[in-house]
Amino acid sequence: MKNVWEEALFNLSKAAEAMDLEPEILERLSVPMRFTEFTIPVRMDNGARKLFLAFRSCHQDATGPTKDGTRVRSGLTPEEIKALSLFMSIKHGVAGIPAGGGKGGIRADPSALSEGEYERLIRGFIRRLNPKGAFTDIPGADIGTGKQAMAWMLDEYEQMTGMHCPAAINDKPAELGGSLGGFEATGWGVAACTGKAAEEMNLEPGRTPVVIQGFGQVGSVAAKKLSSMGFPVTAVSDIAGAVENPGGLDIGGLAAHVERTGSVAGFPGGRNADKGRILEIPCGILIPAAVQDVITAENALRIQAKVIVEAANAPVSPEADDMLASAGIRVIPDVVANSGGAIVCDFERIQGLSNDYWSLDKVEERLNGRILTAYREAAERAAERKVSMRRGAWINAMGKIRAAMLLRGWC
Ligand code: NAD
């Protein structure tokens, strides 16, 4: 694969082929509905003005207003933003979220900016982004943006419009109308999908070791939830090291150790392991929760798990996908397994529009219901077409977008 945009088009065309999608609809889905590139002039602390390049891609809005994150990093490319907007269309379709796919970003290194420069950049982004709003295009957070950035975006938006409208911006702090459970959402969704896959494959929690690569927001929350569901989490890695305990790691103790030291390495409740080999440890369930492309043609045949749950985006390469299928290893695809964050973002919009804010228990209960429906629908489409669950999930989402486009008379 050359780049993320080509990879997105590859998945799109494979699903289109498997579902006999009309060429006209495939053509519409193969290019964003609207892609804007704009500049943001920012007054730097030394008095000079610097121009930053920004992008926003709205993939399609047949299924609802476009929605999702804002990535700030140096080296950001238009292809990356286009691909991510397409993925969000699919993820929203998979999870039954009435929204199209959106993604935006700014080419800048946040660590090279002072707090004031970063705030002016973020405020400049929302000022210059057009169109925008709760019923049009709703930005959220991504790499390089977090709750504070989204609070500034909301404030700037509301200052411009003269109206309070929490549903116009996602991933806000709870004090400004954000949803509870936003931090936990993706990890909880991964755990729910893992539990479902184990049940379908008759893997008893108490006897099914789980190995997790990555112990950040997603990996640590999933580990904690799975541990509470009775699964022994026997090995965990992060960028700095790995730790294992065949009897099951104490996840609470491990989280406290990471809080203290910054890494899972050296945790006294286990022995240090080779982080380069974490994916090859024999286990029932393997959860890559770090970065993309970690399971490739090079190591796929050394994987000794019964099922892989993709918590990270695209951790399994297309070549490895085929090899794992031949080896009888099931893959629960990213668009299903890590859709918990997108689902709770939708809950955030619903709460903002209705001014009715939910308890953490209600968020979790509704998240579980929504993600398990996404799981079931993807598995059903896969069984009908005799394709992988990844393909089934894409077919499910594309079928919903297709229906919306036809009903609107667009094709
Ligand atoms: P994070 O930055 O909080 O944590 C990443 C973890 O992976 C850290 O423990 C880091 O040390 C580890 N890591 C990084 N490179 C590694 C490597 N080469 N080998 C082993 N460990 C490595 O990130 P996160 O929010 O937990 O996200 C993890 C993945 O899930 C990313 O691919 C992200 O795109 C994806 N994802 C996240 C969300 C979300 O809501 N946070 C939603 C969907 C998808």
Side-chain angles (χ1 to χ4, degrees):
M1 286 297 147
K2 283 203 173 59
N3 64 40
V4 282
W5 176 235
E6 284 167 349
E7 199 162 319
L9 291 182
F10 171 82
N11 275 315
L12 193 69
S13 66
K14 284 287 177 193
E17 197 182 304
M19 68 190 284
D20 296 321
L21 188 72
E22 295 87 338
E24 196 186 340
I25 297 181
L26 177 60
E27 188 186 359
R28 288 196 81 132
L29 295 179
S30 301
V31 58
M33 167 189 87
R34 180 173 57 245
F35 180 81
T36 46
E37 189 172 319
F38 53 102
T39 51
I40 310 169
V42 174
R43 175 82 66 194
M44 306 303 279
D45 290 348
N46 65 7
R49 250 184 218 283
K50 191 168 171 188
L51 214 50
F52 291 88
L53 190 59
F55 313 105
R56 183 80 186 167
S57 178
C58 298
H59 176 248
Q60 59 81 27
D61 69 352
T63 46
T66 48
K67 192 148 72 80
D68 207 57
T70 312
R71 184 166 283 198
V72 182
R73 69 169 192 88
S74 49
L76 187 73
T77 66
E79 286 72 26
E80 183 178 343
I81 294 298
K82 284 182 196 172
L84 291 166
S85 72
L86 192 159
F87 279 127
M88 288 319 300
S89 268
I90 299 299
K91 210 176 267 190
H92 289 152
V94 165
I97 296 168
K103 203 73 166 193
I106 309 170
R107 190 179 287 165
D109 175 4
S111 68
L113 301 173
S114 70
E115 192 187 5
E117 290 167 345
Y118 179 67
E119 178 181 347
R120 292 191 286 280
L121 178 66
I122 295 296
R123 287 182 183 274
F125 177 83
I126 196 69
R127 262 200 317 278
R128 292 189 163 228
L129 177 71
N130 272 310
K132 57 183 169 268
F135 300 99
T136 314
D137 185 24
I138 305 148
D142 198 282
I143 294 166
T145 48
K147 292 216 174 302
Q148 180 59 69
M150 304 327 285
W152 286 326
M153 270 201 210
L154 180 71
D155 181 63
E156 193 68 24
Y157 178 80
E158 292 183 340
Q159 300 285 349
M160 288 171 72
T161 58
M163 285 187 294
H164 281 285
C165 187
I169 303 289
N170 259 326
D171 299 309
K172 310 169 291 290
E175 294 82 348
L176 296 180
S179 181
L180 298 180
F183 181 86
E184 295 87 352
T186 305
W188 280 352
V190 167
C193 291
T194 304
K196 186 68 193 164
E199 183 191 307
E200 286 177 346
M201 296 172 74
N202 293 320
L203 299 172
E204 233 180 89
R207 294 160 180 261
T208 304
V210 175
V211 169
I212 305 181
Q213 182 192 46
F215 199 68
Q217 181 177 342
V218 179
S220 68
V221 171
K224 196 166 163 209
K225 181 57 80 178
L226 286 165
S227 187
S228 76
M229 289 160 67
F231 289 92
V233 178
T234 54
V236 168
S237 72
D238 62 18
I239 188 87
V243 62
E244 66 180 332
N245 181 340
L249 293 157
D250 162 19
I251 299 302
L254 180 60
H257 173 80
V258 172
E259 183 81 31
R260 261 194 324 275
T261 67
S263 170
V264 299
F267 176 53
R271 57 173 187 256
N272 279 338
D274 177 358
K275 80 177 169 83
R277 296 234 164 254
I278 183 101
L279 300 168
E280 298 165 22
I281 293 175
C283 61
I285 293 161
L286 178 62
I287 304 183
V291 289
Q292 67 180 53
D293 270 332
V294 291
I295 301 176
T296 63
E298 193 276 317
N299 63 354
L301 294 179
R302 295 199 296 277
I303 303 289
Q304 301 184 62
K306 294 192 171 60
V307 51
I308 296 173
V309 182
E310 292 187 322
N313 286 321
V316 176
S317 74
E319 298 77 17
D321 236 353
D322 294 340
M323 293 164 78
L324 293 168
S326 307
I329 299 173
R330 269 190 81 178
V331 176
I332 310 302
D334 50 5
V335 283
V336 175
N338 72 22
S339 64
I343 291 172
V344 172
C345 268
D346 187 45
F347 293 170
E348 182 175 349
R349 179 166 177 270
I350 294 170
Q351 292 171 75
L353 289 173
S354 62
N355 212 18
D356 173 19
Y357 293 92
W358 306 349
S359 68
L360 192 59
D361 284 349
K362 181 168 175 177
V363 170
E364 186 177 7
E365 185 194 325
R366 296 194 65 163
L367 164 64
N368 284 340
R370 192 73 86 79
I371 203 163
L372 292 179
T373 302
Y375 184 108
R376 180 177 48 76
E377 288 181 357
E380 284 172 0
R381 297 298 88 74
E384 282 160 18
R385 304 270 175 178
K386 297 189 173 37
V387 293
S388 67
M389 192 171 170
R390 185 188 313 286
R391 206 72 78 223
W394 279 68
I395 289 171
N396 186 32
M398 287 162 65
K400 292 176 189 174
I401 300 169
R402 170 185 180 274
M405 285 184 167
L406 290 175
L407 284 165
R408 286 174 183 276
W410 289 4
C411 299

